[in-house]
Each structure stands twice: as C-alpha cells, then as structure tokens.
Amino acid sequence: MKKLITLAAVALSCGAALAQNWTMDGGDNARSGWAKDETVLTKDNVKDLTLLWSIQTDVKPHALHALMTPLAIHGLKTASGDKNMLYVLGVSDVIYAFDADTGAEVWRKTFEPAPPQQQGPPGMQRSGPSDPRHMNFLGPGGTTGVPAISDADSSGKRTLYMVDGKGNVVGLDAATGEVVFGPIATGVINKFGVQLYKDQMIFADYHGRGGIISVDLKTKAVHKTVGFAGGGGLWGRRGPVITDDGTVWTTTGDGIYDVTTDPKNPLIGNSVVGFELQADGNWHPKDWFTPPNWDWLRKRDLDPNNTPTVFHYKGRELMAASGKECKVYLLDPKNLGGTPDHHTPLYRTELFCNFAADFQNAGSWGAVSSWEDKAGTRWIVVPFWGPAAPEQTKFPITQTPAAKEGGVAAFKLADKAGKLSLEPAWISRDMFRGDPPVIANGLIITHGSGDNTQQAWPDIGLNFDSTIRAAKSNHATVYVLDGETGKELWSSGDTITGFNHFTDVTISNGKLYAGTYDGKLYCFGLKK
C-alpha cells in the first residue's frame, strides 16, 4: 500500500505548498522518517516557528510512557466537512483524534485495559494498577504501539489500525472512531509501531521467543512465526521495516546467536532479521545479519535495537542499521549477511559515539532515518545518546555546543568505482538524548527527549521502578537543523516543560507535533 499521500495544492498560510500525510511511525514502509512531499517549512521561514497550541490530555503515565508518536491526515472527509486530523495513542488504552489546526478533540476511543505486565529481576519490580507510574519501563502495559492509517477508499474513508492493550487488532473509522474491523485476538501485546502492507497489518512481538505477527485485513486470519527460537525479542522503536519483496525486517535484542544446534529453529540474537510469509500461512526467518562481535555485545547489553531503514540507490535497494554499540552498517537486503556465516556487511563505520561501551546512557537508540537531497546525495541520519567519539570518527563539521549528552550524526553514501561506503558529514550540537529525526525539505527535525536513561545507580543498583528515572528527567527540546551542515536553525527552547520516552516528533502540513510524559501535546508552526 502506498503510504505517502501528496496534497498537490493545499492552501496554507505561507501560500500554495505541498503537505504530506503521516500515516505510520517513520512515515512509510521503509521507516525512512523522510516527509519527501512536505515543503511548507523552509530554511528561510523555519526561524518563525512558534507554539500554536498545547493541550493537556487525561492520559496517565505507565512507567515512562504517556503519549506516543502522532499521526496526521489532511482533508479527511467527515460529516462536518473535510478536516485536518491528528491522532495520538495514549498508553492508558485510549486513542485520541484532534483537529490538527486547533487542537480541539474530535473523538476518542477507550479500550478495556489489560493486567499490568511484569519484567525484570524479582524484587526490582514495583507495579500495580493503583499507580502504573511505578511499572517497569520494559513492560509498561497498556498500548504503546503506534497505529497505522490506511489509504482512502473510493468514498474517502480511512481506517486506523492498532493493537489494543490486550493484543487485539482493531480498525477504527478515522473520521468517527467507530470500530469497523475486529477485534481480532492475537494473544500478543505490541510495543512498537505497526505496518500496513498488501492487506496485512503487521507488527513485531518484542518478547524473547517472539516473531512477526500479522492479521489479514480481508480474511481476518492471524499469521504467526514458526521456525524461530528467538533471540532477545524483536525491537526497533518504529517497528519493522519492509523491503520491495515484502520481507519484514527488524532487530533482535540481547540474546544467543546459535543457528547450527537446531537449524530449523535458529536462535538469532543481536541481529537484523528478515521474515517472509510462506504458503503454510506462517512467517519464517529468511535471512539475517549478525555482527561478528555479537557475544561481546550481548555481554554488555549493546544490542542493535534501532529500527533500520531501507532506500534505493542507482536501482539497488539498500539498508542502513545501527544500535547501542554506535556503528552504522550498510547492508544488502538480497544478501543481508554477505557471506555464509551472515557476519559481513557491505560497509561498517567506526564508532561515532559510546566509546565507553555504556549500555544505558550512550549509543544509538530508536531508529535510523534517510533522505536524498536535490543533488542526488543519499544521507543517513542517526540519533545517539552520550558524547560523540571524535577520536574514532572525525566529522568534517562539528556543531556547538559539542555533543556530550547526545545528538544526531549524519553520513553520506559514497560510491567509489562501485564500492559503497558511509562518509561522516556532520555531527549536531548537544541534545539531552538525541531521538530519531524526521526530514522535510532539507531540514532535519529532531529532539532531545530529556529522558533520564540511567537504569542502575551506585546506591540502589539496578532498579526498574520508573518513577526514579522520571523524577531525574529534564524536559524535551525540539530542534530544526540544516540537513547539509547540521547547523541549528530553530529550537523550542524551554517551551516544552516535560520529557518524553520512546516517542518521536511528527511533521505534517508545516506543523510539528510532540507529546510528553505528563500527557501534554504540543503543536508548533508558522502563524498565519
């Protein structure tokens, strides 16, 4: 299904321009983060961004989660005329629909909450329905998987698909919130973004022995994964990515890599793994890439937890992936592991952060983004936490203040006589925990989440009570950077008062949307 919808002549405050719907986390099946049809904001006018509105929802945090990444549709047909709509999932099993221009609530749908999930070592969990803020951030309960919105049908109607807190796939009329599909029970709690692809609603099970789950939107059949023994769960914040041939790719967390003991049920931890839906109605592992130092990574909790992205270059499909170790891998989806041992990428950068091998406050987290400039240069943009590693990777442009708490790093795809590489281009100013960027019209839009990411302390040790981290967190700051230099063009400063956790900024129709831990939703844009 095509997910990028171009509105070719939308009347906007800055004149006729192009705007783009944002129908899933990362904006498209490639999880590129690139709003390629969005032209309202420019390098000249972005300095005039201001807070247009903010609203306080009644979402209460579960662990560190509250409001997830917003989605946006322009000109949706409703009973009261065409509307620009914004959709935000709340962790407390509620989905909101707002007027994207004013912030007025249009509808909401609340689901019956599921019992709290429990994870982490015994004695280190403090959770319960009476105060879900104390829940473990690895298993917050509720709904955290960003939904996906279908293309419009012949009558202009769209359906928003999501997984509720009990693992049921549900489709809602995007205009009214009425249930028009399901619920279809999958038995799997979803934590990350879902995909829509060729009549399948697809998501990844993040539990240790999980796999890919999908529901056929025509037959309502549930397809699960077989022939996969697990490997630390399926992670990647934007959810799985899909290549041209329909293979669904995601990263696996810390776990064992063993594909020889039981070849029919391989353990594929610390890897990028692809799954295909076969004739038996099940998803099966198809191919994978595993860093050769996977066991070293496992022992230090440095799994490749980012959602990778895919893109095309000279007629060839490529993938870029990263993770907490803080290297970027360039991969070929037609032969992801490169060699029979599955350990050989097309190219690998050196460390660009996390020289101390820190599992909690450093490394690349979230998702890799990609875009192409007007000159045809392909860019890979990667968020990171903690200080940069200038002795390992020298960037020609280093913005100030120097990155100490996090930021964004940009690489260019280079092609020398057919040999591909990723060349360091620039590294951003300091941000408190750089998060996955989105790109529009040559602008990099990202934020420092303000999230205190410490998991272990000298006085209390490893502790999964999320209120400890929440109390130590700062506030989120949205940044707009020049895509070619990383220069800061605008920031929200101290306007946003709360932090956020594992949720991104959304751009649509020249407006930037972000939610925070305290249940507040912000909209920045150009005044009329």
Side-chain angles (χ1 to χ4, degrees):
M1 288 183 182
K2 186 180 180 184
K3 291 293 170 285
L4 300 177
I5 308 298
T6 302
L7 303 182
V10 181
L12 300 168
S13 60
C14 60
L18 296 179
Q20 182 172 309
N21 294 330
W22 203 255
T23 59
M24 63 175 65
D25 208 348
D28 52 29
N29 293 123
R31 306 295 198 192
S32 70
W34 182 20
K36 64 177 65 176
D37 298 320
E38 181 79 29
T39 63
V40 178
L41 295 182
T42 69
K43 293 180 183 180
D44 293 327
N45 68 20
V46 72
K47 66 182 185 301
D48 299 321
L49 281 171
T50 189
L51 180 68
L52 297 182
W53 52 261
S54 64
I55 54 175
Q56 180 65 57
T57 70
D58 53 9
V59 168
K60 304 301 180 185
H62 284 215
L64 298 170
H65 297 271
L67 299 178
M68 307 313 297
T69 302
L71 304 176
I73 295 291
H74 299 284
L76 182 73
K77 293 186 179 300
T78 74
S80 56
D82 291 355
K83 282 184 178 293
N84 297 331
M85 299 285 286
L86 188 74
Y87 304 90
V88 185
L89 182 68
V91 67
S92 50
D93 292 287
V94 60
I95 177 83
Y96 296 93
F98 299 104
D99 184 310
D101 297 323
T102 67
E105 184 177 320
V106 177
W107 58 260
R108 74 170 71 181
K109 176 68 176 177
T110 302
F111 299 90
E112 182 181 353
Q117 300 175 62
Q118 297 275 348
Q119 287 187 9
M124 294 187 181
Q125 303 167 334
R126 290 182 59 190
S127 62
S130 61
D131 190 353
R133 295 176 302 165
H134 290 283
M135 293 171 67
N136 174 8
F137 48 85
L138 294 177
T143 45
T144 61
V146 178
I149 303 173
S150 73
D151 293 339
D153 66 16
S154 58
S155 65
K157 289 186 176 181
R158 294 175 181 266
T159 302
L160 181 148
Y161 292 96
M162 59 175 286
V163 185
D164 69 19
K166 289 188 173 180
N168 300 312
V169 170
V170 180
L172 307 177
D173 185 313
T176 65
E178 177 187 359
V179 176
V180 294
F181 180 86
I184 305 297
T186 68
V188 176
I189 305 299
N190 180 39
K191 190 170 182 177
F192 303 113
V194 306
Q195 282 269 20
L196 290 178
Y197 181 80
K198 292 187 176 180
D199 296 318
Q200 295 281 331
M201 202 281 269
I202 303 167
F203 63 99
D205 182 357
Y206 75 97
H207 294 91
R209 294 180 62 87
I212 296 298
I213 311 293
S214 71
V215 173
D216 190 303
L217 302 180
K218 289 186 175 180
T219 67
K220 301 183 180 180
V222 178
H223 304 284
K224 296 190 177 184
T225 298
V226 299
F228 177 63
L234 305 187
W235 294 81
R237 215 163 87 190
R238 284 177 174 163
V241 60
I242 302 177
T243 45
D244 291 344
D245 61 358
T247 304
V248 176
W249 304 88
T250 187
T251 50
T252 56
D254 286 305
I256 297 296
Y257 176 72
D258 182 358
V259 298
T260 58
T261 300
D262 185 358
K264 293 184 178 181
N265 289 283
L267 285 162
I268 316 177
N270 286 284
S271 303
V272 182
V273 186
F275 297 84
E276 64 178 353
L277 186 61
Q278 295 186 0
D280 63 359
N282 296 309
W283 292 92
H284 295 255
K286 177 183 178 182
D287 197 4
W288 59 89
F289 164 72
T290 305
N293 63 337
W294 69 268
D295 199 36
W296 186 92
L297 298 175
R298 179 185 67 86
K299 292 174 180 176
R300 291 159 179 80
D301 193 4
L302 296 177
D303 47 301
N305 64 347
N306 282 356
T307 294
T309 189
V310 293
F311 56 91
H312 292 86
Y313 175 74
K314 293 185 177 179
R316 182 181 184 184
E317 193 170 27
L318 298 169
M319 179 185 294
S322 186
K324 287 189 279 184
E325 185 184 17
C326 217
K327 297 177 181 179
V328 183
Y329 293 93
L330 186 64
L331 306 168
D332 180 353
K334 294 189 180 301
N335 182 17
L336 204 74
T339 51
D341 61 7
H342 294 266
H343 293 330
T344 307
L346 292 175
Y347 184 80
R348 186 209 70 192
T349 71
E350 297 301 319
L351 289 175
F352 64 93
C353 71
N354 204 8
F355 52 84
D358 181 352
F359 78 96
Q360 52 189 342
N361 294 318
S364 181
W365 292 69
V368 180
S369 299
S370 177
W371 67 291
E372 186 176 278
D373 64 23
K374 292 179 180 179
T377 300
R378 172 60 60 172
W379 295 78
I380 307 299
V381 192
V382 191
F384 66 93
W385 297 355
E391 294 186 3
Q392 287 83 0
T393 300
K394 297 185 183 302
F395 288 85
I397 301 175
T398 300
Q399 298 295 343
T400 57
K404 295 186 181 300
E405 297 292 347
V408 173
F411 299 82
K412 292 181 181 181
L413 179 65
D415 183 351
K416 296 180 180 178
K419 187 175 179 60
L420 301 178
S421 64
L422 296 173
E423 295 184 349
W426 55 259
I427 197 161
S428 76
R429 59 151 293 161
D430 189 36
M431 303 175 189
F432 197 95
R433 305 301 183 262
D435 258 10
V438 295
I439 305 101
N441 205 20
L443 302 172
I444 305 296
I445 300 146
T446 186
H447 75 297
S449 69
D451 184 7
N452 184 295
T453 53
Q454 194 82 7
Q455 299 180 36
W457 293 264
D459 53 343
I460 60 174
L462 189 66
N463 196 296
F464 291 90
D465 182 339
S466 292
T467 60
I468 299 172
R469 281 177 55 174
K472 297 176 182 291
S473 292
N474 202 323
H475 68 82
T477 304
V478 179
Y479 297 92
V480 181
L481 313 176
D482 185 312
E484 296 181 347
T485 67
K487 179 183 177 181
E488 179 184 336
L489 301 177
W490 177 86
S491 88
S492 61
D494 296 328
T495 302
I496 299 174
T497 57
F499 74 96
N500 62 31
H501 175 77
F502 280 20
T503 179
D504 300 346
V505 177
T506 292
I507 180 170
S508 193
N509 196 12
K511 297 181 176 67
L512 312 181
Y513 303 96
T516 50
Y517 170 84
D518 53 7
K520 201 167 184 179
L521 183 64
Y522 296 81
C523 172
F524 298 91
L526 303 174
K527 285 188 175 179
K528 292 184 179 181

